[in-house]
Amino acid sequence: MSEITPEVVAAHGLTMDEWAHAVELLGRQPNRTELGIFSVMWSEHCSYKSSKKWLKTLPTTAPWVICGPGENAGVIDIGDGQAIIFKMESHNHPSFIEPYQGAATGVGGILRDVFTMGARPIANMNALRFGSPDHPKTRHLVSGVVAGIGGYGNCVGVPTIGGETNFHASYNGNILVNAMTVGLAPTDRIFYSAAVGIGNPVVYVGSKTGRDGIHGATMASAEFSEDSEEKRPTVQVGDPFTEKLLIEACLELMATDAIVAIQDMGAAGLTSSSFEMASKGETGIEMDLDAVPCREPGMTPYEIMLSESQERMLMVLKPGREDLARSIFEKWELDFAIVGHLTNSGRMVLTKSGTVVADLPIAPLAAASPEYDRPWVSPARQPVVPAEQVPETDPATALRALLACPDLASRRWIWEQYDHMVMGDTMIRPGGDASMVRIHGTKKALAVTTDCTPRYCLADPMEGGRQAVAEAYRNITATGALPLAVTDNLNFGNPQKPEIMGQIVEAIQGMGEACRALDFPVVSGNVSLYNETNGQPILPTPAIGAVGLLADATLAVTVPFKAEGEAILLLGETTGWLGQSLYLRELHGREEGAPPPVDLAAERRIGDFVRAQIGKRRLTACHDLSDGGLLVAAAEMAMASGVGARLDSQSGIAPHAWAFGEDQARYLVTLPAAQAEALLAEAKTAAIPCARIGTTGGTVLTLDGKVLASVAEMKSLNEAWLPGYMSKAAAH
């Protein structure tokens, strides 16, 4: 076996201090297989060594939380003996290198995280960030990622019901692909990963192990450079048809009493799944690598343990249940192999051809991985940009430009490639504030959203962290659902740079504040660091996935105007905040200023008020205000319905700031005109800022009597950009 040199250690992503710690733990120098195991278990991707200290500060409990962070996914109680299991996870680096398979296997991995806990997946979401539209790779990456998400989700038969997509030059060399899955399980049939029961069999099921994905976790914990294309072998290859079989086989076995513990093989494959299960159960494992089903001949212990081949699970079964389990997996034409058993040694002992090839203590690798308190500096805050310092552009010109810009253009081209109606329970389709699925066979519905405004996070990470949570809360509230819990996907650059570590720390602090104030605990999540290329970091992107419950699905409210002659009311305070606004960036080329402040008490008070009004069936439409401000929100409601509106601006605020400012904690709502005064009076009593700003009707959008655009023209502008942009790819 070749000598392990400092260069070999560095190639495995370990520092010399970490290597010295590994040698000390073992009392000898690890062999090559053991080095590989240390490298993946102590990678940023698997150990969270730079972020653990700060993640522990997030609120993770509530009366409805069954299981918070630490398992495959988070679990919340939605009543009637039902639980929702959900998580969001990144597949950024693989998707940049091989966009179709990177995105497809991202979907496959997050599905396994959810069904491994006993849930049938009922919805997928995604949060995508691509580089500048004029970058030569962007079209290719958009095309591949969208096709990969659609190809996997559609084949496996789980609806992709929504998400978000942004473009920014900071993602030119490092796109973000964050995938989220939501599943439904009985509260008394939730499965965990702690391996217990000395002597119990350890079983491998699913697909065979190949050489794809080896060192995927290590690759995902390093910056990109010019040679990133050479990392293609570290991208896994997915098979959604096998995944569908695996879902059905696992759920069938879960209906019996055979399973003691179960874990999917995600990042670091057989290594992480076996070590995590044994660590949580405080047991040891003896594993015979000759028993592992392999796709390719001559695979080494190193390759078998580090492969990230897809559609594989590891289980601990009750003794005597092996034949039952085998019959189920063979019925579904999946591999089934008893590969080992639990011991009381606290060690992972791997053999091949009768020889011990690795012998490692489990607890230090899994639980005592490095935890760093990295130096950090608070990022410089950008000054407030007063509205009077922003030139006034004709509102009709500005609105047209914003509706057609890459960040606000319709995403129809994307979501039409996803089967968002499969399973027959999708109530609110992609394109709204939050998407919604009915809980099959009940009156209940679940609202799901993903949110983040990275430009706010760059300008002020703490405010940006608060805003990401607050916007998720608003999007769920706008449907009438009660926001229940959050999963996060923290995407940042190199944590060894104090300014990047400062972004991480402050974004988490802001998220924590918002989650506590809104009673919106974090129950699962993922951290993706080193999102840099040649030293250039991405915008800090703490993506928030969230779910909320609507007890009566017939109460659901959507974005489109519903009828002519209804009153349009604006809830929440408008100051005309233009710093970091899309108006400032798209119309004046200025990506600057402090982001809009988030008043968490106001978010909660106004959110509670909006849900109460929806609960009384008073509101006919509701839309939260975010990118582009009030005029863009009104245009979106008009475009979604084909019904125009007449708007009147409020005095005391510069017209362009009133129209396009991005103040937070605001909603546009409609209701029958005869009920408007009663709602205004109720809002006043509740100290909720509320103003009637217009009336629905006609086929145009007017402001203060001036026609801005027809609904048809706005829709045409909004829907043309993305198909037009992507068709140029075909032309090339």
Side-chain angles (χ1 to χ4, degrees):
M1 187 170 284
S2 59
E3 184 192 355
I4 296 176
T5 64
E7 290 74 25
V8 171
V9 172
H12 281 75
L14 293 175
T15 67
M16 290 313 293
D17 284 346
E18 288 167 347
W19 169 246
H21 184 37
V23 171
E24 183 186 355
L25 277 173
L26 280 188
R28 59 177 171 80
Q29 184 165 296
N31 63 34
R32 182 64 73 109
T33 299
E34 292 166 338
L35 168 62
I37 289 170
F38 270 105
S39 82
V40 292
M41 291 302 293
W42 288 4
S43 69
E44 195 74 62
H45 193 77
C46 291
S47 74
Y48 298 164
K49 57 192 175 187
S50 297
S51 55
K52 265 193 285 200
K53 171 184 164 71
W54 302 101
L55 294 174
K56 291 172 186 173
T57 67
L58 291 169
T60 59
T61 58
W64 53 91
V65 174
I66 294 172
C67 177
E71 274 293 338
N72 286 291
V75 187
I76 58 170
D77 194 330
I78 59 164
D80 308 310
Q82 293 178 312
I84 291 297
I85 301 180
F86 69 106
K87 187 183 181 186
M88 181 158 57
E89 196 160 72
S90 61
H91 231 224
N92 304 336
H93 289 61
S95 299
F96 181 77
I97 295 167
E98 214 326 300
Y100 184 95
Q101 288 298 349
T105 53
V107 173
I110 198 64
L111 281 164
R112 285 194 301 283
D113 275 339
V114 167
F115 75 74
T116 192
M117 295 192 72
R120 177 170 291 281
I122 58 171
N124 286 335
M125 298 280 282
N126 53 74
L128 312 177
R129 319 278 167 189
F130 296 104
S132 170
D134 56 16
H135 189 273
K137 285 192 84 164
T138 300
R139 274 190 198 86
H140 162 71
L141 292 167
V142 172
S143 176
V145 165
V146 170
I149 291 169
Y152 205 101
N154 297 354
C155 291
V156 92
V158 177
T160 300
I161 60 170
E164 56 176 346
T165 306
N166 290 137
F167 296 86
H168 191 275
S170 76
Y171 305 107
N172 281 351
N174 200 128
I175 63 172
L176 302 184
V177 175
N178 297 170
M180 178 177 172
T181 293
V182 180
L184 178 68
T187 51
D188 60 354
R189 301 294 291 165
I190 293 165
F191 291 80
Y192 298 100
S193 57
V196 294
I198 305 308
N200 280 351
V202 176
V203 171
Y204 170 119
V205 300
S207 286
K208 289 179 166 58
T209 294
R211 289 191 169 98
D212 53 328
I214 293 172
H215 269 300
T218 310
M219 179 266 290
S221 305
E223 289 183 37
F224 276 159
S225 58
E226 298 301 341
D227 66 351
S228 62
E229 296 294 323
E230 296 172 14
K231 295 180 178 175
R232 282 184 193 276
T234 60
V235 178
Q236 312 94 316
V237 177
D239 179 354
F241 298 105
T242 299
E243 182 104 338
K244 174 63 174 168
L245 300 177
L246 190 58
I247 292 172
E248 298 305 332
C250 285
L251 292 177
E252 184 174 335
L253 185 60
M254 285 166 169
T256 73
D257 65 348
I259 297 173
V260 174
I262 180 168
Q263 172 82 29
D264 81 298
M265 294 191 216
L270 192 50
T271 291
S272 65
S273 55
S274 58
F275 272 87
E276 285 172 18
M277 292 176 81
S279 169
K280 286 174 184 168
E282 299 181 349
T283 53
I285 294 182
E286 284 186 13
M287 193 151 37
D288 176 8
L289 299 186
D290 289 318
V292 174
C294 288
R295 200 164 59 221
E296 300 167 50
M299 287 188 69
T300 65
Y302 181 99
E303 291 172 327
I304 292 169
M305 291 305 291
L306 269 59
S307 166
E308 293 184 8
S309 294
Q310 296 290 287
E311 294 87 39
R312 302 179 302 156
M313 314 284 277
L314 199 63
M315 298 180 180
V316 175
L317 298 181
K318 289 182 179 175
R321 292 289 188 272
E322 298 92 333
D323 288 345
L324 167 68
R326 185 191 302 275
S327 68
I328 290 172
F329 281 90
E330 288 181 351
K331 180 184 81 173
W332 290 100
E333 299 181 349
L334 295 165
D335 275 284
F336 176 96
I338 298 167
V339 295
H341 62 273
L342 300 187
T343 69
N344 61 3
S345 69
R347 299 184 74 84
M348 180 69 64
V349 180
L350 307 176
T351 61
K352 195 161 195 322
S353 305
T355 302
V356 173
V357 293
D359 184 350
L360 296 164
I362 287 168
L365 263 94
S369 57
E371 180 175 332
Y372 294 126
D373 185 2
R374 296 201 186 276
W376 62 280
V377 294
S378 192
R381 297 294 192 266
Q382 294 199 32
V384 172
V385 176
E388 55 269 22
Q389 291 180 15
V390 179
E392 215 170 313
T393 300
D394 169 63
T397 303
L399 180 61
R400 286 182 171 90
L402 286 169
L403 291 178
C405 81
D407 269 10
L408 288 178
S410 167
R411 304 296 186 236
R412 182 184 296 276
W413 181 90
I414 293 175
W415 56 256
E416 282 191 340
Q417 296 184 53
Y418 304 153
D419 188 340
H420 48 276
M421 299 304 290
V422 66
M423 298 177 88
D425 284 317
T426 305
M427 288 178 54
I428 301 180
R429 305 181 186 194
D433 285 328
S435 300
M436 187 174 277
V437 286
R438 191 179 290 101
I439 302 296
H440 197 75
T442 75
K443 292 198 321 180
K444 298 180 293 194
L446 203 71
V448 191
T449 188
T450 58
D451 290 290
C452 185
T453 311
R455 63 182 188 278
Y456 292 176
C457 298
L458 180 67
D460 184 333
M462 195 173 297
E463 208 66 81
R466 285 191 198 105
Q467 192 274 341
V469 173
E471 188 173 344
Y473 179 87
R474 279 199 304 277
N475 278 333
I476 288 172
T477 290
T479 67
L482 175 67
L484 287 180
V486 160
T487 181
D488 59 44
N489 206 147
L490 308 180
N491 307 273
F492 292 88
N494 183 344
Q496 295 173 51
K497 297 178 180 177
E499 64 275 17
I500 300 292
M501 196 63 217
Q503 293 175 349
I504 297 168
V505 170
E506 293 199 357
I508 291 173
Q509 288 174 338
M511 288 164 48
E513 278 183 30
C515 289
R516 277 184 286 274
L518 301 173
D519 223 4
F520 207 19
V522 179
V523 297
S524 60
N526 174 242
V527 176
S528 174
L529 306 182
Y530 296 95
N531 289 290
E532 299 201 1
T533 301
N534 297 326
Q536 295 301 305
I538 61 162
L539 293 181
T541 311
I544 299 293
V547 299
L549 181 68
L550 191 58
D552 179 355
T554 66
L555 290 167
V557 170
T558 55
V559 166
F561 292 143
K562 300 301 184 297
E564 305 246 344
E566 294 201 323
I568 303 171
L569 274 59
L570 172 62
L571 288 160
E573 187 179 8
T574 298
T575 66
W577 193 280
L578 288 173
Q580 290 300 332
S581 66
L582 286 185
Y583 176 86
L584 188 62
R585 188 181 87 187
E586 297 294 326
L587 274 301
H588 302 291
R590 292 165 58 186
E591 210 165 320
E592 61 187 70
V598 178
D599 180 338
L600 293 167
E603 290 282 3
R604 179 150 191 174
R605 197 172 67 252
I606 297 168
D608 288 347
F609 183 82
V610 168
R611 284 193 306 280
Q613 298 304 317
I614 292 172
K616 295 174 186 173
R617 301 187 190 272
R618 290 177 88 169
L619 306 184
T620 54
C622 183
H623 190 14
D624 93 301
L625 272 61
S626 55
D627 285 348
L630 192 155
L631 222 49
V632 164
E636 287 170 343
M637 297 174 87
M639 290 186 296
S641 62
V643 177
R646 300 180 295 281
L647 303 176
D648 299 302
S649 60
Q650 291 168 281
S651 59
I653 301 172
H656 64 309
W658 180 84
F660 301 109
E662 296 182 6
D663 298 276
Q664 300 295 293
R666 297 188 301 161
Y667 301 80
L668 269 188
V669 303
T670 60
L671 73 171
Q675 297 176 29
E677 286 305 320
L679 184 64
L680 286 163
E682 218 170 295
K684 187 174 182 180
T685 302
I688 304 288
C690 186
R692 179 168 179 173
I693 62 162
T695 305
T696 63
T699 58
V700 298
L701 187 65
T702 69
L703 177 61
D704 298 328
K706 180 186 174 187
V707 174
L708 301 177
S710 71
V711 176
E713 182 190 2
M714 292 190 299
K715 196 173 173 75
S716 173
L717 283 167
N718 187 243
E719 299 224 336
W721 181 79
L722 193 50
Y725 174 71
M726 294 308 296
S727 69
K728 292 175 189 169
H732 285 81

